[in-house]
Amino acid sequence: MSEELQNLDFALKTKYLNKKYGNKKIIDNLNISVKKGSIYALIGKNGSGKTTIMRLVLGLAHPNSGTVEFSFDRQKISGVIENPAMYPDMNALDNMLCQCYALGIKDSEKISKELLDTVGLGDCGKKKVKNFSLGMKQRLALAFSLIGEPEFLLLDEPMNGLDPQGMKEMRDMIVKLNREKNVTFIISSHILGELIRIATDYAVINKGKLVREFSHEELIREIEPCVRLKVNDISKAIELLNTELNINNYKMDGAEICIFGNTDTAKINEILVKNDLIIESISAQDGDYEDYFLKLMGGEV
């Protein structure tokens, strides 16, 4: 346990984390901070290093340099990386009992039944795991990870291959555990639409490097619909927006002014032209989180 993090609101910090396989650098000076009680989404293209980060955090791989620091004991960390081992000719309960026995858990049958109920597998009876759907196997893997009441859970592509109903059920389970049990999550996924619904914080990874780390509130501000304006005199345009149109919710994006909120494009155009400004471009832009993330995933900041 890191003394530095003991009294802080962070569950995890990595500092200058590096990992190589052979001569190939997979993780490059990674610094991320995961707040306690958050649902922290790792986003990146295939091969960007998301799974390796999780393996390093769980202790399944060792960094070449850098540190991973926690604010609690490692015994309270759990995770599902890739495909966990299951006994295909056993049912869900027997698989859970084997996991409990291996971990030395007391009251294993009671705990196993409770966890199977938690993940929606309480009524699957004697059905063998080899006959489970992908969604049922994902739920069973989640039940495995909940043995021992972890405070910090890492899930690698938990919604991969699920149908829309399965994705909703997985999403609801994650949110329930987060809110009711105060479990901190790190989740990797390429299904952006599902992550947007549950994540409180994001880290965008490109080629093992952190491109950007931000909260959900910051994301909403970044992708808020706006009017993009480019003129020959920015200072004068801003003055007119303030004095003539009472607009003060804007930001600069390069040579353009991004105006947020309910705006009347025609009125903006009228006032600026009336005051002898040359409008090079003016257009309404809808918020597009997919385009925003794709740019970041490509290394654009």
Side-chain angles (χ1 to χ4, degrees):
M1 184 186 300
S2 168
E3 293 183 6
E4 181 183 345
L5 298 186
Q6 277 182 345
N7 299 316
L8 300 180
D9 291 329
F10 290 100
L12 163 77
K13 282 179 179 270
T14 70
K15 295 185 177 180
Y16 304 104
L17 201 61
N18 288 281
K19 180 63 180 175
K20 289 182 179 180
Y21 288 108
N23 293 322
K24 186 175 182 181
K25 180 169 274 193
I26 307 299
I27 304 300
D28 191 353
N29 282 322
L30 185 78
N31 295 294
I32 62 172
S33 301
V34 180
K35 295 192 289 287
K36 290 179 182 176
S38 65
I39 300 176
Y40 188 95
L42 284 178
I43 299 176
K45 298 176 182 177
N46 289 338
S48 62
K50 302 187 300 296
T51 299
T52 301
I53 292 169
M54 290 192 166
R55 291 178 65 83
L56 290 167
V57 171
L58 286 169
L60 300 175
H62 299 287
N64 295 99
S65 61
T67 60
V68 179
E69 299 179 359
F70 300 97
S71 61
F72 46 80
D73 294 332
R74 277 188 175 269
Q75 289 90 335
K76 287 298 181 179
I77 304 167
S78 185
V80 180
I81 305 293
E82 297 167 340
N83 299 312
M86 299 176 183
Y87 294 101
D89 289 316
M90 291 184 180
N91 61 27
L93 179 58
D94 287 340
N95 266 274
M96 287 292 293
L97 290 172
C98 287
Q99 291 287 329
C100 286
Y101 293 152
L103 294 170
I105 302 295
K106 298 179 180 179
D107 297 324
S108 57
E109 185 164 351
K110 178 178 181 290
I111 290 169
S112 295
K113 288 179 178 179
E114 288 175 352
L115 291 177
L116 288 175
D117 285 338
T118 298
V119 301
L121 292 177
D123 60 354
C124 62
K126 296 182 179 180
K127 186 173 184 177
K128 294 180 178 179
V129 167
K130 66 182 179 183
N131 297 320
F132 278 15
S133 66
L134 177 58
M136 293 174 72
K137 289 178 180 176
Q138 295 276 57
R139 291 193 198 99
L140 183 55
L142 180 59
F144 285 174
S145 71
L146 293 173
I147 296 172
E149 299 183 329
E151 297 176 17
F152 195 170
L153 198 52
L154 292 87
L155 302 178
D156 189 18
E157 299 284 357
M159 301 169 195
N160 193 30
L162 299 183
D163 60 21
Q165 180 64 27
M167 283 192 279
K168 181 182 184 304
E169 290 171 355
M170 181 63 71
R171 186 177 74 230
D172 290 346
M173 280 187 282
I174 291 168
V175 171
K176 183 178 180 180
L177 289 165
N178 175 254
R179 292 178 180 173
E180 295 183 5
K181 303 291 187 180
N182 200 32
V183 177
T184 301
F185 283 88
I186 293 181
I187 300 174
S188 73
S189 181
H190 63 276
I191 306 173
L192 295 176
E194 293 301 309
L195 285 180
I196 291 293
R197 291 170 180 261
I198 62 174
T200 61
D201 297 272
Y202 306 86
V204 179
I205 309 297
N206 181 52
K207 297 179 180 178
K209 294 182 178 181
L210 176 66
V211 178
R212 190 174 172 197
E213 188 178 50
F214 50 95
S215 69
H216 186 72
E217 290 74 18
E218 289 172 313
L219 170 66
I220 296 304
R221 288 197 294 270
E222 290 285 343
I223 64 172
E224 185 180 355
C226 70
V227 171
R228 302 186 72 90
L229 173 66
K230 190 173 183 180
V231 295
N232 65 319
D233 189 334
I234 291 175
S235 298
K236 187 175 181 181
I238 289 174
E239 180 183 350
L240 291 168
L241 291 175
N242 284 315
T243 58
E244 298 291 328
L245 296 166
N246 197 29
I247 292 173
N248 52 34
N249 187 11
Y250 59 83
K251 72 170 187 177
M252 295 303 304
D253 184 8
E256 294 182 323
I257 307 169
C258 294
I259 306 167
F260 302 102
N262 295 320
T263 55
D264 186 336
T265 305
K267 187 67 175 177
I268 293 172
N269 186 77
E270 176 188 340
I271 293 297
L272 296 182
V273 170
K274 182 179 177 181
N275 285 273
D276 300 322
L277 284 177
I278 299 173
I279 298 176
E280 299 176 20
S281 63
I282 184 170
S283 62
Q285 176 179 292
D286 293 329
D288 188 339
Y289 68 83
E290 287 187 334
D291 181 62
Y292 180 79
F293 275 117
L294 286 171
K295 286 180 179 178
L296 289 178
M297 286 160 65
E300 299 179 38
V301 182

